[in-house]
Amino acid sequence: MTQPALFGGPMGDPDAERADHVRMRRLLTRSFSARRMESLRPRIDRIVGQVLDGMEAGGSPAGFHAAVSFPLPGLVMCELLGISEPDRADFLRWSEDAMHMEHPARSRAGLQSLWRCLGATIERGHIAPGEDVISDMLAAGTADPAMSDDAVAHLASGLLFAGHGSTAAVIDRGILLLLSHTTQREALRRNPGLAPQAVEEILRCASPLERPRANRRGGLPRYASVDLDAGGARIRAGDLVMFALQDANEDADTFRHPAHFDVAREENPHLAFSHGLHFCLGASVARMELQLLFGQLLGRFPLLHLDVPVEQLRAKAERSPGRPVKIPVAW
C-alpha cells in the first residue's frame, strides 16, 4: 500500500488530478522511456552543435538567449513531437510570438499558426507514423476514444510550452552562473566530464539575478489533501500551500554549503523537477539536452564571457522569475 499524497494540484481536487496524472503518464511512458531518450541522443547532440554553429557564425558579441537559450529547447521539442525540419524555423518563430502574452494579437496569431502546424503534423502521423510523441499519442488513440486529434494537439501544445520555456530559463540561469563564477567555469572547461554534476547544480541554484531572497517571486501552489503540521503551522485539508522550492534547494540540513555554486557537487537531491506524482515527465530529455550543451559550450568557446557586468542585467518581469531581458556575451 502506498502513502497518500499530502498535496494535490492547484485545482483543488487531488483524486481527479491524481487520476489525470496517472493516465497521462501511462500514455506517454513509451515516449519518454530510457530507451527512447537514448535513441534521441545523437539527434539532440546534432541540434546542440547546429545551434552553437549558428552563434559562432553570427560572431562576437552575441545575445546568448536569442542565439542559444530560446532556439535549442524549441528545436529539441520539434524533434520530440515530430515537427518536420522544413517547418521548424517557423515553428520557433510562432512559439516566440505565442509567449508574448503582453501583446494579445501577436500571441493569438502565434498560437493559431502553431495549431495549424500541429494539425498538419497529426495528419502526417496518421499516414506515416514515426518515432515521435505525436505518433505515440495517435497510436494510443486507437484504444482510447478520448484521444481525438484535438486532444492530441492540446497535449502536444502543453508539452511544447512546458518543455520550451522552462528549459530556456534553466539555460539562461546556467550561463549566468557559470560566467559569474570564474573558478567553476574553468573547472567545467578543463573537465567537460563534469557536465552531469554541473547541470544538477545549475538546476539547484538560484540565478544570480534572484540570489537575494527579496528578489524571488511566486512558488508552487498545491492544496493540502490531509491535515498536517509543518514548520509549526497547522495545515488543514483543502488549505492552499505555496512551496518555496528554491528555499528547499538551499536547505542547510540537506546540502553542504548550500549557497556555494559547485559544478562538482556529488550529493544533489534538489527538487527542480518536483517529486513523486508531480515529478517532471520530461526530466530525462531536459537533463540530456542540458548536459550536451554545457558539456560542449566552453570547449567551443573557451573565452566566453559576459559582455556587461552581471549587475547591469535585469530580470524580465512578465516572464519567468530571474530570467534576464538579454544576455550579451563575447568570446
Side-chain angles (χ1 to χ4, degrees):
M1 182 179 293
T2 58
Q3 292 182 334
L6 295 179
F7 300 98
M11 295 306 293
D13 187 347
D15 291 336
E17 190 203 40
R18 189 177 297 111
D20 286 344
H21 269 273
V22 169
R23 180 171 174 271
M24 184 183 73
R25 286 174 182 276
R26 284 176 178 167
L27 177 65
L28 296 175
T29 293
R30 177 174 176 269
S31 298
F32 292 93
S33 69
R35 184 190 66 81
R36 171 69 69 80
M37 291 303 102
E38 196 56 36
S39 73
L40 283 171
R41 182 178 292 274
R43 286 181 276 171
I44 295 177
D45 188 54
R46 176 174 58 85
I47 291 170
V48 169
Q50 290 172 342
V51 169
L52 295 181
D53 288 345
M55 185 171 84
E56 185 174 20
S60 175
F64 193 84
H65 177 82
V68 177
S69 303
F70 183 81
L72 177 58
L75 290 169
V76 171
M77 288 307 301
C78 285
E79 187 71 37
L80 280 174
L81 293 174
I83 305 299
S84 66
E85 294 205 23
D87 290 335
R88 292 183 184 183
D90 285 335
F91 197 84
L92 286 182
R93 178 168 53 81
W94 297 327
S95 297
E96 183 172 19
D97 288 344
M99 292 179 187
H100 279 275
M101 290 178 288
E102 68 277 20
H103 301 296
R106 179 181 179 184
S107 179
R108 190 179 304 112
L111 284 169
Q112 290 171 343
S113 296
L114 283 175
W115 195 258
R116 286 193 293 269
C117 183
L118 287 171
T121 303
I122 288 169
E123 288 181 11
R124 286 195 300 271
H126 281 300
I127 297 168
E131 283 286 314
D132 56 74
V133 173
I134 285 179
S135 294
D136 292 346
M137 290 192 287
L138 293 175
T142 60
D144 185 350
M147 286 304 298
S148 64
D149 285 2
D150 275 353
V152 170
H154 277 290
L155 188 49
S157 61
L159 291 171
L160 166 67
F161 287 111
H164 192 173
S166 58
T167 307
V170 174
I171 295 172
D172 282 348
R173 183 164 78 238
I175 197 63
L176 290 177
L177 284 165
L178 287 168
L179 299 189
S180 60
H181 292 80
T182 306
T183 302
Q184 299 303 312
R185 172 196 177 282
E186 285 303 297
L188 180 58
R189 184 187 66 80
R190 290 193 303 268
N191 182 8
L194 286 174
Q197 294 100 298
V199 164
E200 298 307 309
E201 186 71 341
I202 288 166
L203 288 163
R204 183 189 73 85
C205 286
S207 162
L209 303 187
E210 56 176 348
R211 173 61 64 187
R213 296 192 72 226
N215 291 355
R216 300 176 189 174
R217 304 188 300 278
L220 183 65
R222 289 287 182 266
Y223 283 90
S225 57
V226 297
D227 295 342
L228 71 155
D229 294 308
R234 181 62 174 169
I235 299 173
R236 300 194 178 279
D239 286 351
L240 176 65
V241 178
M242 294 288 284
F243 288 103
L245 288 186
Q246 191 54 53
D247 287 358
N249 285 340
E250 296 175 7
D251 182 4
D253 291 335
T254 302
F255 301 97
R256 189 166 180 260
H257 305 305
H260 181 54
F261 175 62
D262 179 6
V263 298
R265 188 183 295 272
E266 292 288 346
E267 297 296 324
N268 203 340
H270 62 76
L271 296 174
F273 290 120
S274 194
H275 180 72
L277 178 67
H278 300 283
F279 187 76
C280 177
L281 192 63
S284 56
V285 70
R287 280 188 163 115
M288 182 189 301
E289 178 181 345
L290 293 166
Q291 289 169 11
L292 289 170
L293 171 62
F294 289 110
Q296 294 182 37
L297 179 64
L298 297 176
R300 289 283 304 270
F301 302 93
L303 302 179
L304 189 68
H305 61 276
L306 288 172
D307 206 27
V308 299
V310 70
E311 295 78 15
Q312 291 185 16
L313 299 175
R314 60 187 179 87
K316 197 170 183 65
E318 70 273 19
R319 303 282 184 95
S320 299
R323 186 189 300 184
V325 176
K326 294 180 180 179
I327 306 178
V329 297
W331 59 90

